[in-house]
Short mmCIF file of all heavy atoms in Angstrom, two decimals:
data_model
loop_
_atom_site.label_atom_id
_atom_site.label_comp_id
_atom_site.label_asym_id
_atom_site.label_seq_id
_atom_site.Cartn_x
_atom_site.Cartn_y
_atom_site.Cartn_z
N PRO M 8 -41.04 26.61 37.31
CA PRO M 8 -40.34 26.10 36.14
C PRO M 8 -41.24 25.67 35.02
O PRO M 8 -40.82 25.06 34.09
CB PRO M 8 -39.51 24.84 36.71
CG PRO M 8 -40.39 24.42 37.76
CD PRO M 8 -41.06 25.62 38.44
N VAL M 28 -41.16 16.10 32.76
CA VAL M 28 -39.90 15.93 33.42
C VAL M 28 -39.48 14.48 33.29
O VAL M 28 -38.33 14.09 32.91
CB VAL M 28 -39.90 16.36 34.82
CG1 VAL M 28 -38.58 15.89 35.59
CG2 VAL M 28 -39.94 17.89 34.95
N ILE M 45 -42.23 7.26 38.09
CA ILE M 45 -43.59 7.85 37.63
C ILE M 45 -44.64 7.62 38.48
O ILE M 45 -45.51 8.45 38.82
CB ILE M 45 -43.76 7.58 36.20
CG1 ILE M 45 -42.59 8.11 35.22
CG2 ILE M 45 -45.15 8.03 35.73
CD1 ILE M 45 -42.48 7.54 33.90
N ALA M 48 -44.43 9.65 41.56
CA ALA M 48 -44.58 11.11 41.35
C ALA M 48 -46.21 11.33 41.40
O ALA M 48 -46.61 12.36 42.04
CB ALA M 48 -44.20 11.46 39.95
N GLY M 70 -35.36 6.23 42.28
CA GLY M 70 -35.26 7.63 41.96
C GLY M 70 -36.15 8.47 42.77
O GLY M 70 -36.61 9.55 42.30
N ASP M 96 -29.34 12.52 59.29
CA ASP M 96 -28.27 13.14 60.04
C ASP M 96 -27.46 14.02 59.12
O ASP M 96 -27.76 14.18 57.97
CB ASP M 96 -27.32 12.03 60.74
CG ASP M 96 -26.85 11.04 59.74
OD1 ASP M 96 -26.67 11.33 58.60
OD2 ASP M 96 -26.59 9.89 60.19
N LEU M 117 -32.96 20.63 34.44
CA LEU M 117 -34.01 21.51 34.27
C LEU M 117 -33.61 22.96 33.94
O LEU M 117 -34.43 23.93 33.83
CB LEU M 117 -35.02 21.47 35.51
CG LEU M 117 -35.60 20.10 35.79
CD1 LEU M 117 -36.61 20.26 36.97
CD2 LEU M 117 -36.31 19.51 34.60
N MET M 168 -20.91 45.41 60.22
CA MET M 168 -21.70 44.27 59.95
C MET M 168 -21.83 43.84 58.52
O MET M 168 -22.16 42.64 58.28
CB MET M 168 -23.11 44.42 60.64
CG MET M 168 -23.05 44.50 62.15
SD MET M 168 -24.75 44.37 62.84
CE MET M 168 -25.21 42.81 62.51
N LYS M 190 -13.95 19.87 71.64
CA LYS M 190 -13.32 20.87 72.54
C LYS M 190 -13.68 22.31 72.12
O LYS M 190 -13.59 23.17 72.94
CB LYS M 190 -11.88 20.65 72.56
CG LYS M 190 -11.46 19.25 73.18
CD LYS M 190 -9.84 19.15 73.05
CE LYS M 190 -9.42 17.86 73.49
NZ LYS M 190 -7.99 17.56 73.37
N THR M 211 -24.92 32.05 64.33
CA THR M 211 -25.98 33.12 64.09
C THR M 211 -25.92 33.53 62.64
O THR M 211 -26.97 33.72 62.11
CB THR M 211 -25.54 34.33 65.02
OG1 THR M 211 -25.57 34.07 66.42
CG2 THR M 211 -26.57 35.49 64.81
N ARG M 275 -31.31 17.15 79.92
CA ARG M 275 -29.94 16.74 80.33
C ARG M 275 -29.55 17.53 81.55
O ARG M 275 -29.51 18.88 81.44
CB ARG M 275 -28.95 17.04 79.18
CG ARG M 275 -27.62 16.58 79.34
CD ARG M 275 -26.72 16.85 78.15
NE ARG M 275 -27.19 15.94 77.06
CZ ARG M 275 -26.68 14.70 76.84
NH1 ARG M 275 -25.80 14.16 77.75
NH2 ARG M 275 -27.17 13.95 75.87
N TYR M 288 -27.86 33.83 90.99
CA TYR M 288 -28.87 34.48 91.76
C TYR M 288 -28.42 34.85 93.20
O TYR M 288 -28.85 35.83 93.72
CB TYR M 288 -29.89 33.37 91.91
CG TYR M 288 -31.35 33.82 92.42
CD1 TYR M 288 -31.70 35.08 92.30
CD2 TYR M 288 -32.21 32.91 93.01
CE1 TYR M 288 -32.91 35.60 92.70
CE2 TYR M 288 -33.42 33.21 93.50
CZ TYR M 288 -33.80 34.61 93.37
OH TYR M 288 -35.08 34.96 93.74
N ALA M 347 -37.61 23.48 93.76
CA ALA M 347 -37.56 24.25 92.59
C ALA M 347 -38.79 24.99 92.28
O ALA M 347 -38.82 26.20 91.87
CB ALA M 347 -37.19 23.30 91.33
N SER M 434 -42.79 0.32 56.33
CA SER M 434 -43.94 -0.53 56.68
C SER M 434 -43.45 -1.94 57.18
O SER M 434 -42.34 -2.19 57.13
CB SER M 434 -44.84 -0.73 55.41
OG SER M 434 -44.21 -1.62 54.44
N GLY M 437 -46.04 -3.93 54.04
CA GLY M 437 -46.99 -3.08 53.43
C GLY M 437 -47.97 -2.40 54.21
O GLY M 437 -48.75 -1.60 53.74
N ILE M 452 -51.85 8.46 53.81
CA ILE M 452 -51.91 7.49 52.63
C ILE M 452 -50.45 6.96 52.52
O ILE M 452 -49.46 7.54 52.91
CB ILE M 452 -52.35 8.19 51.37
CG1 ILE M 452 -51.47 9.46 51.01
CG2 ILE M 452 -53.78 8.63 51.41
CD1 ILE M 452 -51.84 10.06 49.71
N PHE M 454 -47.73 4.00 49.98
CA PHE M 454 -47.60 3.03 48.91
C PHE M 454 -46.16 2.44 49.04
O PHE M 454 -45.27 3.14 49.60
CB PHE M 454 -47.72 3.72 47.58
CG PHE M 454 -46.77 4.87 47.25
CD1 PHE M 454 -45.45 4.50 46.59
CD2 PHE M 454 -47.04 6.15 47.63
CE1 PHE M 454 -44.55 5.53 46.33
CE2 PHE M 454 -46.03 7.13 47.30
CZ PHE M 454 -44.95 6.89 46.66
N THR M 473 -18.20 -17.49 62.85
CA THR M 473 -17.06 -17.62 63.78
C THR M 473 -17.43 -17.11 65.03
O THR M 473 -18.21 -16.23 65.24
CB THR M 473 -15.81 -16.90 63.29
OG1 THR M 473 -14.72 -17.08 64.24
CG2 THR M 473 -16.01 -15.34 63.11
N GLU M 517 -0.06 -2.93 57.06
CA GLU M 517 0.07 -2.62 55.56
C GLU M 517 -1.30 -2.41 55.00
O GLU M 517 -1.41 -1.78 53.95
CB GLU M 517 0.73 -3.78 54.84
CG GLU M 517 -0.08 -5.05 54.68
CD GLU M 517 -0.07 -5.98 55.88
OE1 GLU M 517 0.50 -5.48 56.94
OE2 GLU M 517 -0.61 -7.09 55.83
N SER M 566 -20.84 -7.43 62.16
CA SER M 566 -21.67 -8.28 63.09
C SER M 566 -23.12 -7.78 62.93
O SER M 566 -23.31 -6.65 62.36
CB SER M 566 -21.31 -7.99 64.64
OG SER M 566 -21.39 -6.60 64.97
N GLN M 581 -39.07 -3.53 77.75
CA GLN M 581 -40.01 -3.69 78.82
C GLN M 581 -41.52 -3.46 78.36
O GLN M 581 -42.42 -3.96 78.96
CB GLN M 581 -39.63 -2.75 79.94
CG GLN M 581 -38.30 -3.12 80.69
CD GLN M 581 -37.89 -2.17 81.65
OE1 GLN M 581 -38.23 -0.89 81.57
NE2 GLN M 581 -36.90 -2.51 82.49
N GLU M 588 -38.82 -10.54 69.40
CA GLU M 588 -39.50 -10.49 68.17
C GLU M 588 -40.04 -9.18 67.72
O GLU M 588 -40.09 -8.85 66.49
CB GLU M 588 -40.69 -11.46 68.16
CG GLU M 588 -40.24 -12.96 68.23
CD GLU M 588 -39.94 -13.39 69.66
OE1 GLU M 588 -40.09 -12.57 70.57
OE2 GLU M 588 -39.56 -14.60 69.91
N ASP M 591 -35.85 -6.25 69.15
CA ASP M 591 -34.45 -6.47 68.75
C ASP M 591 -34.35 -7.01 67.35
O ASP M 591 -33.54 -6.45 66.53
CB ASP M 591 -33.87 -7.64 69.63
CG ASP M 591 -33.60 -7.09 71.02
OD1 ASP M 591 -33.89 -5.84 71.27
OD2 ASP M 591 -33.33 -7.88 71.90
N LEU M 599 -29.79 -3.92 58.99
CA LEU M 599 -29.11 -4.85 58.05
C LEU M 599 -29.62 -4.52 56.56
O LEU M 599 -28.63 -4.45 55.69
CB LEU M 599 -29.34 -6.31 58.35
CG LEU M 599 -28.82 -7.39 57.50
CD1 LEU M 599 -27.23 -7.29 57.62
CD2 LEU M 599 -29.26 -8.73 57.89
#
Side-chain angles (χ1 to χ4, degrees):
V28 168
I45 293 165
D96 55 28
L117 302 183
M168 290 188 68
K190 298 177 183 178
T211 302
R275 183 177 295 274
Y288 195 23
S434 72
I452 56 177
F454 64 89
T473 180
E517 72 276 8
S566 60
Q581 290 173 343
E588 293 80 7
D591 291 353
L599 182 60

